[in-house]
Amino acid sequence: MEVININMQTTVKLGRCGNSACARLNNSLLAIIGANINNYVDVFANEKNHSITIKKHNEGPKTLAELLDGWQGDFETTSVMDDGNLGAEIG
């Protein structure tokens, strides 16, 4: 098992990737943030202190069912169309 230095700092050279700049990140850096090749990352730029922060993208739930999956709270479900007036205004 590889030991990962949590406070790792490394220097990378910027390269060209089409009309954009790119930086190659080694596997140890990716392991620290829990990312792999082809994962999305979020990049935050701080103009005040001239820094960039890279974090693994945290995908939220894609559906309401995923959002509520495992939730044990209490709630009631009702349909606003229970009376058969499909298309009637709600009010």
Side-chain angles (χ1 to χ4, degrees):
M1 181 172 165
E2 180 183 355
V3 176
I4 299 172
N5 180 356
I6 300 300
N7 297 311
M8 182 177 181
Q9 177 180 341
T10 188
T11 301
V12 297
K13 181 179 179 182
L14 293 177
R16 177 144 317 273
C17 188
N19 290 328
S20 300
C22 63
R24 296 175 70 158
L25 305 177
N26 64 39
N27 288 333
S28 296
L29 287 173
L30 294 178
I32 289 172
I33 65 171
N36 294 304
I37 301 298
N38 292 325
N39 285 157
Y40 286 93
V41 294
D42 297 322
V43 180
F44 304 91
N46 185 324
E47 187 176 9
K48 185 175 182 178
N49 66 8
H50 304 283
S51 67
I52 293 176
T53 303
I54 300 173
K55 295 183 178 181
K56 182 179 179 185
H57 180 70
N58 183 14
E59 290 189 25
K62 292 181 174 73
T63 65
L64 183 58
E66 286 181 10
L67 177 66
L68 297 176
D69 186 39
W71 187 57
Q72 300 299 316
D74 57 343
F75 62 92
E76 291 182 26
T77 59
T78 58
S79 172
V80 295
M81 299 298 176
D82 281 345
D83 62 0
N85 292 326
L86 184 62
E89 292 185 5
I90 302 170

